[in-house]
């Protein structure tokens, strides 16, 4: 067992402080404000293994809507496509020699105190989140013990190829993991007001082989925009910026 493997195993099973780095402030106190209390950051994670496709497109629209809420909102879209996030590390399983793990590079970004909201976007895979999304959320075990993400606002959007392909079930499944982190889970704001962003990518007018244009799903995009708005509004409130 090499030193590197030992360290990675430790990061995966416990050791919040080690993952986040010494001196990293925790965000569990709702009264704790970012260093620049005027700005609140919202991260969007696209959990499709396909870069720049429908989930990322929907998330971009969602983040743009969040940003439009207030000048103090900053947004960043992070695509997990192409990154290696081995979920089994959360259970203490050590990586094989040379196996890549990109999660330790993401963890401090997620836990950063200026992050007031996180939006997870996932494709629907057989009525549930993608394996990449599940592995990513399993790795959030490092935040769980000390409730590092408590009171950050969370929202979820799901993109399915079917009109009724399991988007809401998928959203619910992701939300359970977020609630376990003591995050403030919100749905889409009025007038749509349901569980989050529900997107149909499989518009039948799309040419064979082309990437569907999610913006054609007007009803779905309304939920996506309203989700971004709701997350932004609540993130501002939780950070006492309003
Ligand atoms: C393994 C697999 C399972 C899928 N299962 C479903 C499903 O249950 N319901 C659905 O509506 N779409 C399903 N789809 C379609 C994807 O959700 C859809 O193509 C989505 O837009 C992909 O997101 P992306 O473009 O960001 O990769 C599935 C796709 C794959 C690859």
């Amino acid at each position: 067992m090499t030193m590197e493997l030992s360290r990675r195993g430790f990061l995966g099973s416990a050791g919040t402080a080690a993952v986040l780095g010494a001196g990293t402030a925790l965000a569990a106190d709702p009264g704790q404000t970012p260093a620049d209390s005027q700005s609140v950051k919202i991260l969007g994670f696209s959990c499709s293994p396909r870069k720049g496709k429908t989930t990322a497109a929907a998330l971009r629209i969602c983040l743009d809507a969040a940003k439009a809420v207030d000048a103090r909102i900053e947004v960043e879209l992070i695509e997990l496509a192409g990154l290696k996030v081995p979920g089994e590390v959360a259970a203490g399983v050590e990586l094989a020699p040379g196996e890549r793990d990109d999660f330790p590079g993401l963890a401090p970004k997620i836990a950063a105190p200026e992050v007031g909201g996180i939006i997870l976007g996932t494709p629907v895979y057989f009525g549930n989140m993608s394996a990449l999304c599940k592995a990513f959320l399993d790795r959030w075990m490092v935040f769980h013990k000390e409730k590092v993400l408590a009171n950050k606002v969370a929202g979820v959007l799901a993109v399915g190829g079917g009109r009724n392909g399991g988007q809401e079930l998928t959203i619910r499944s992701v939300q359970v993991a977020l609630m376990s982190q003591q995050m403030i889970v919100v749905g889409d704001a009025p007038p749509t007001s349901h569980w989050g962003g529900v997107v149909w990518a499989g518009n039948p007018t799309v040419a064979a082989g082309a990437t569907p244009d999610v913006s054609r799903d007007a009803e779905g995009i309304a939920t996506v925009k309203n989700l971004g708005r709701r997350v932004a509004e609540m993130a501002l409130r939780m950070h006492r910026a309003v």
Side-chain angles (χ1 to χ4, degrees), residues 48 50 53-55 123-127 159-162 165 201:
S48 170
R50 303 195 310 159
K53 300 296 186 181
T54 61
T55 305
V124 181
Y125 280 3
F126 294 123
V159 184

Side-chain angles (χ1 to χ4, degrees), residues 45-52 55-56 59 78-88 90 100-103 106 110 120-125 128-140 170 174 177:
F45 287 97
S46 173
C47 302
S48 170
R50 303 195 310 159
K51 195 170 174 61
T55 305
L59 203 48
I78 299 171
E79 296 203 51
L80 299 185
L83 300 184
K84 297 293 179 199
V85 184
E88 68 273 19
R100 207 173 108 199
D101 181 6
D102 292 316
F103 184 77
L106 296 171
I110 298 166
L120 272 293
T122 180
V124 181
Y125 280 3
N128 216 315
M129 70 186 90
S130 66
L132 182 54
C133 189
K134 187 68 171 70
F136 183 52
L137 289 173
D138 284 351
R139 295 298 298 275
W140 288 22
T170 299
V174 176

Side-chain angles (χ1 to χ4, degrees), residues 152-169:
K152 291 184 192 288
V153 179
V156 186
L157 68 82
V159 184
R163 181 70 189 83
N164 302 292
Q167 287 89 336
E168 289 176 329
L169 205 57

Side-chain angles (χ1 to χ4, degrees), residues 49-221:
R50 303 195 310 159
K51 195 170 174 61
K53 300 296 186 181
T54 61
T55 305
L59 203 48
R60 181 77 269 159
I61 294 167
C62 187
L63 291 173
D64 286 348
K67 190 168 174 48
V69 165
D70 193 288
R72 293 166 292 182
I73 296 287
E74 293 174 13
V75 297
E76 183 179 352
L77 172 60
I78 299 171
E79 296 203 51
L80 299 185
L83 300 184
K84 297 293 179 199
V85 184
E88 68 273 19
V89 176
V93 175
E94 293 183 355
L95 298 172
E99 190 177 349
R100 207 173 108 199
D101 181 6
D102 292 316
F103 184 77
L106 296 171
K109 285 183 84 86
I110 298 166
E114 67 269 22
V115 172
I118 297 176
I119 302 174
L120 272 293
T122 180
V124 181
Y125 280 3
F126 294 123
N128 216 315
M129 70 186 90
S130 66
L132 182 54
C133 189
K134 187 68 171 70
F136 183 52
L137 289 173
D138 284 351
R139 295 298 298 275
W140 288 22
M141 182 60 95
V142 293
F143 306 129
H144 188 254
K145 188 175 177 193
E146 295 178 33
K147 304 294 177 279
V148 174
L149 305 183
N151 302 311
K152 291 184 192 288
V153 179
V156 186
L157 68 82
V159 184
R163 181 70 189 83
N164 302 292
Q167 287 89 336
E168 289 176 329
L169 205 57
T170 299
I171 288 170
R172 196 72 184 127
S173 189
V174 176
Q175 285 174 336
V176 170
L178 301 174
M179 284 190 283
S180 302
Q181 299 282 355
Q182 302 298 301
M183 299 183 82
I184 308 296
V185 177
V186 300
D188 45 316
T192 50
S193 305
H194 287 103
W195 298 3
V198 177
V199 182
W200 175 34
N203 190 306
T205 61
V206 173
T211 299
D213 177 2
V214 293
S215 68
R216 294 173 188 235
D217 176 19
E219 288 177 36
I221 291 306

